[in-house]
Amino acid sequence: MAVDTPVRPPRTTRPGLLHRVSGWAMRHAVLALALWVVALAAVTVASTLIGDRYKNDTSLPGTDSQRVTDIFRAHQPQGDTASVQIVVRADGGLDADKSRVASMLAAVRGLPHVASVADPFTAPGSLSTDRRTAYSTVALDVALADMPIDDVRAIIHKAQDFARPGLQVEVGGDLARTAAESSGGASEGVGILAALVILVFLFGSLLAATLPLLTAVFAVGSTLGLLVLASHLFTVPEYTAPVMMLVGLGVGIDYALLIFSRYRHELLKDGTDRASASTVALDTAGRSVMFAGCTVVIALLGLLALGLGALQGVALGVTLTVLTTMLAAVTLLPALLTLFGKRIERSVRKHAAKSRRTPGDGWRKLAAMVQRRPLIPLVLGVVALIALSLPALNMRLGFADAGTDAPTKTSRKAYDLLAEGFGPGFNGPLVVVSQGDQAAAQELGKTLGADPDIAAVTPPQVLPDGKIATVLAFPKSAPQDAATSDLVQRLRDDTLPKLEAQTKATYLVGGSTAAADDFAGAVSKRLPIFVLVVVGLSALLLMAVFRSILIPLKAAALNLLSIGASLGAITLVFQQGWFGAQAGPIEAFVPVMIFAIVFGLSMDYEVFLVSRIHEEWRRTNDARAAVREGLATTGTVITAAAAIMIVVFGAFLLSPDRMLKQFGLGLATAVLIDALLIRCVIVPAVMRLFGDRAWWLPRGLNRILPRIKLEDHS
């Protein structure tokens, strides 16, 4: 494709770092583009050759569940190997299909990485009392992280080859859940296609619409390769990549769109050439993007204050994504604007000439209407946000298991068969460890067996040293039920402490349900520190930029309300089962991740809108007019950017992964509320009530705070 001759931007009298970087990209547009192409190709090839080493770290030092895990590791020096469960059910009883089941198990025993296959007819507790349901534990010779997914699928397919009418064969376990999950590539594709359609309608040009998308794709693609390489140096959970792509696509398009929109706005001014338009766009919208990106980074790094290993890897991965998108927005996008500037200018002017409306006229009318009676939209908007936030107060955190999988997955079918044949608590037994003599272990078994909320217990299994024994307790309720969490809490707070006083032994409750409760408790305990760090640092940055006390306070309060509303929506859909969703607990790390990401993303629109209001206020010294003009010049861009982020995030509702669905709904809801209700209604109302006081800052703070300028051009 032929490109335009690069136009050198004019020299600036104040060459800051941003101007030097973007100016270099504009002067050496071909080289800048070539460097991005080489970087993307290099990290893609390197990551493909080396491969990833993703590892889910759910360790929580100091908790009972972690101490149980550590005890088992100490007494299993050979290492902990993985396993899957083959569940069979015969409507007429399994005795008639005994030979067929035996043939199936023999076939599975010959597959790669299969160490042993238990006989469900002889293994204790593997056959239901009605002899219709049984399970076989298939022990593997490798750890969970080292088992090839293709070999897991081979086990599933081989086992299900022996199914027939009246004999159902399903495979359960974490590996079976992972093997049945799709890559989710359709979600990203749908989001990108929808974003392209919105951009074409906004700019009236396929070329102009492609530039923000191209910038985002380069940034996300490069970061994905870097993330694979980083997984060899840091603990990066396997779900980091899809979360990174979700955030990266939304943020990357958003940042590029904000800069490109200002560039387009400047082009339509009389006497402004392409180079000057690029310079103004980067010195205004570019600075806003960099500042907004920094607030996202601060919010994500605030996750480090939680001290949870599972979240630190995600925080670092998404932070790397945001930094890369910021770099692409101020280097790759200016280069593309230089290379294709002439064609873009023609399409921009042609599209503007066809438009019959004055740019921003509708937004001026909206702002004027809000300003006439600001209290009414302000009160109604805040009440609506509070009402939508209320369900989040009853949010129950946990970890997804096969019980929340799609009903069509074999892991979910195996889960349901076990629950039907052995009881709902069979899928999530509590692992209770006794540290004492054998008499203490026997007393533990008797005490648990007498508990009204426990369906059955296994005899104590004493480890070789004779000092450690384990008992499996099967609750009467399912692992995801609140009653199971209540049981864990009661055992730890009441039942076992009383038993410890009698036997002088130590008892610990572990297992998946207990680990989920421990993780949720750790998050809840450290959440105030996290919120304080993120909100405090972001408020200080806003104070330094806008030289105001009220602007940061307003931004913090409204951002918290939008986050609460998004968490309320997640609770209604995924916990209470609205709109046909599978009811269950919310993934324990989703709320804090959404808080960090949404709080940072909210600053995009806050900075973009308020900086334009501030720019107009400095020029006219008219607070009301500044609000109207600020909304008029940013309203279309904010709604378009929000629409793009909503379709990108919302597309992840198509993903089979429950966690990604929760992320997609939470982020899409927050952006929708933030862009339409908060930025376009509540903020103009609040700014009208503030008046000139919005820009007041005490003299003492004015001297102490550093000066950060977002506008170098009026």
Side-chain angles (χ1 to χ4, degrees):
M1 178 187 292
V3 298
D4 304 327
T5 303
V7 178
R8 294 180 177 271
R11 298 282 183 179
T12 178
T13 57
R14 290 178 288 182
L17 178 61
L18 172 62
H19 189 91
R20 291 198 299 269
V21 172
S22 58
W24 180 90
M26 293 166 65
R27 292 190 299 272
H28 306 87
V30 175
L31 178 59
L33 178 60
L35 288 176
W36 271 101
V37 172
V38 170
L40 176 61
V43 296
T44 301
V45 171
S47 61
T48 302
L49 294 176
I50 296 177
D52 65 73
R53 291 189 62 183
Y54 295 139
K55 179 183 178 183
N56 294 333
D57 179 14
T58 56
S59 60
L60 288 171
T63 61
D64 281 8
S65 58
Q66 185 61 43
R67 290 169 65 186
V68 169
T69 301
D70 294 340
I71 287 173
F72 278 112
R73 287 176 178 171
H75 289 84
Q76 290 179 330
Q78 75 278 10
D80 187 15
T81 56
S83 64
V84 296
Q85 288 179 321
I86 299 177
V87 185
V88 292
R89 175 180 171 80
D91 296 335
L94 286 169
D95 292 324
D97 291 290
K98 198 169 184 179
S99 59
R100 189 176 186 87
V101 171
S103 299
M104 179 262 291
L105 298 179
V108 171
R109 192 176 289 112
L111 295 176
H113 295 297
V114 175
S116 63
V117 180
D119 186 346
F121 295 98
T122 59
S126 296
L127 184 63
S128 65
T129 55
D130 62 4
R131 303 186 70 83
R132 294 181 179 181
T133 306
Y135 70 91
S136 171
T137 300
V138 179
L140 306 175
D141 59 7
V142 293
L144 185 71
D146 298 327
M147 181 65 180
I149 293 300
D150 288 340
D151 290 338
V152 179
R153 294 193 178 105
I155 295 175
I156 295 174
H157 295 154
K158 181 63 69 173
Q160 292 185 332
D161 285 343
F162 288 83
R164 64 168 181 79
L167 178 64
Q168 185 177 358
V169 181
E170 307 295 345
V171 181
D174 289 338
L175 283 172
R177 295 185 65 210
T178 304
E181 291 176 356
S182 66
S183 62
S187 302
E188 293 87 339
V190 170
I192 292 176
L193 181 60
L196 179 61
V197 172
I198 295 172
L199 288 170
V200 169
F201 275 105
L202 178 64
F203 297 128
S205 165
L206 181 61
L207 176 61
T210 304
L211 296 192
L213 277 177
L214 194 61
T215 304
V217 169
F218 265 86
V220 172
S222 301
T223 310
L224 186 60
L226 292 175
L227 186 67
V228 171
L229 300 178
S231 67
H232 292 266
L233 303 175
F234 307 99
T235 301
V236 180
E238 60 185 7
Y239 52 82
T240 303
V243 172
M244 178 274 293
M245 295 178 68
L246 182 148
V247 176
L249 286 174
V251 172
I253 297 173
D254 197 42
Y255 288 172
L257 174 60
L258 296 181
I259 295 175
F260 184 81
S261 296
R262 185 59 186 259
Y263 171 78
R264 177 174 172 265
H265 174 78
E266 295 298 324
L267 275 180
L268 295 177
K269 289 183 177 180
D270 293 335
T272 303
D273 58 23
R274 297 193 303 276
S276 298
S278 299
T279 302
V280 174
L282 289 163
D283 279 349
T284 52
R287 290 172 182 266
S288 298
V289 162
M290 296 298 289
F291 177 80
C294 288
T295 60
V296 178
V297 170
I298 289 173
L300 290 168
L301 292 181
L303 291 172
L304 300 178
L306 291 174
L308 301 175
L311 292 177
Q312 291 175 352
V314 183
L316 292 175
V318 181
T319 297
L320 181 62
T321 304
V322 175
L323 292 174
T324 307
T325 57
M326 291 165 58
L327 181 62
V330 298
T331 56
L332 178 59
L333 182 60
L336 294 175
L337 291 177
T338 301
L339 292 173
F340 302 102
K342 189 174 181 180
R343 296 184 180 185
I344 292 174
E345 182 179 12
R346 285 200 303 266
S347 66
V348 165
R349 296 188 183 279
K350 183 178 179 181
H351 182 64
K354 291 181 179 180
S355 179
R356 298 180 180 180
R357 294 183 178 182
T358 303
D361 189 53
W363 297 106
R364 289 187 184 89
K365 293 179 180 178
L366 175 62
M369 182 176 64
V370 171
Q371 287 179 327
R372 278 196 295 270
R373 290 183 176 86
L375 282 176
I376 296 177
L378 175 60
V379 171
L380 292 178
V382 171
V383 168
L385 290 176
I386 293 175
L388 191 53
S389 301
L390 290 178
L393 297 177
N394 296 319
M395 179 181 290
R396 185 164 58 87
L397 303 181
F399 288 135
D401 62 8
T404 54
D405 286 347
T408 56
K409 292 177 62 173
T410 185
S411 55
R412 170 64 183 274
K413 293 178 181 178
Y415 180 99
D416 292 340
L417 289 178
L418 290 173
E420 182 181 353
F422 297 91
F426 187 84
N427 287 291
L430 304 180
V431 182
V432 187
V433 172
S434 171
Q435 294 177 295
D437 55 24
Q438 294 188 15
Q442 294 295 332
E443 287 297 321
L444 172 64
K446 293 179 182 179
T447 301
L448 295 177
D451 193 292
D453 294 325
I454 294 179
V457 296
T458 62
Q461 300 294 316
V462 182
L463 297 181
D465 59 8
K467 296 181 180 180
I468 303 294
T470 61
V471 174
L472 295 183
F474 298 93
K476 291 183 178 180
S477 52
Q480 301 287 2
D481 289 349
T484 307
S485 297
D486 294 339
L487 172 62
V488 172
Q489 196 66 33
R490 182 166 55 77
L491 290 176
R492 288 175 169 176
D493 295 343
D494 184 40
T495 304
L496 296 182
K498 291 179 180 178
L499 187 60
E500 288 177 347
Q502 297 175 9
T503 63
K504 308 303 179 183
T506 300
Y507 302 108
L508 302 172
V509 181
S512 59
T513 302
D517 290 344
D518 288 339
F519 194 96
V523 170
S524 301
K525 182 179 180 181
R526 302 170 193 180
L527 188 59
I529 299 176
F530 167 62
V531 172
L532 182 62
V533 169
V534 173
V535 175
L537 290 178
S538 300
L540 286 175
L541 280 176
L542 286 176
M543 197 180 300
V545 168
F546 297 118
R547 321 306 293 178
S548 166
I549 288 286
L550 295 178
I551 294 295
L553 293 178
K554 178 264 303 176
L558 294 179
N559 286 352
L560 290 175
L561 281 175
S562 69
I563 293 168
S566 69
L567 295 180
I570 293 175
T571 304
L572 291 174
V573 174
F574 290 101
Q575 183 172 308
Q576 299 186 17
W578 283 28
F579 306 112
Q582 174 67 46
I586 306 303
E587 293 286 338
F589 49 81
V590 164
V592 290
M593 283 297 299
I594 285 183
F595 182 95
I597 295 171
V598 169
F599 195 90
L601 293 181
S602 297
M603 289 298 178
D604 291 357
Y605 306 132
E606 174 73 17
V607 171
F608 194 61
L609 171 59
V610 177
S611 63
R612 291 307 302 270
I613 294 175
H614 192 214
E615 187 177 345
E616 289 296 324
W617 180 78
R618 287 168 60 107
R619 187 174 64 87
T620 64
N621 204 30
D622 185 338
R624 289 194 183 186
V627 173
R628 290 195 299 270
E629 288 304 309
L631 186 60
T633 53
T634 62
T636 300
V637 179
I638 287 178
T639 52
I644 290 171
M645 296 186 83
I646 289 168
V647 297
V648 170
F649 295 153
F652 280 79
L653 289 171
L654 303 175
S655 170
D657 187 274
R658 179 179 172 86
M659 177 203 69
L660 288 181
K661 289 182 179 180
Q662 292 178 6
F663 268 120
L665 177 64
L667 294 177
T669 302
V671 171
L672 176 65
I673 292 172
D674 192 272
L676 296 184
L677 179 58
I678 292 181
R679 303 302 155 201
C680 297
V681 178
I682 295 181
V683 169
V686 173
M687 296 296 290
R688 163 67 179 85
L689 294 173
F690 283 169
D692 291 337
R693 294 186 299 274
W695 314 110
W696 173 78
L697 184 69
R699 292 182 179 179
L701 282 177
N702 192 35
R703 290 193 300 267
I704 296 173
L705 288 174
R707 294 188 176 273
I708 305 175
K709 292 185 178 181
L710 295 185
E711 319 103 12
D712 268 6
H713 295 262
S714 58

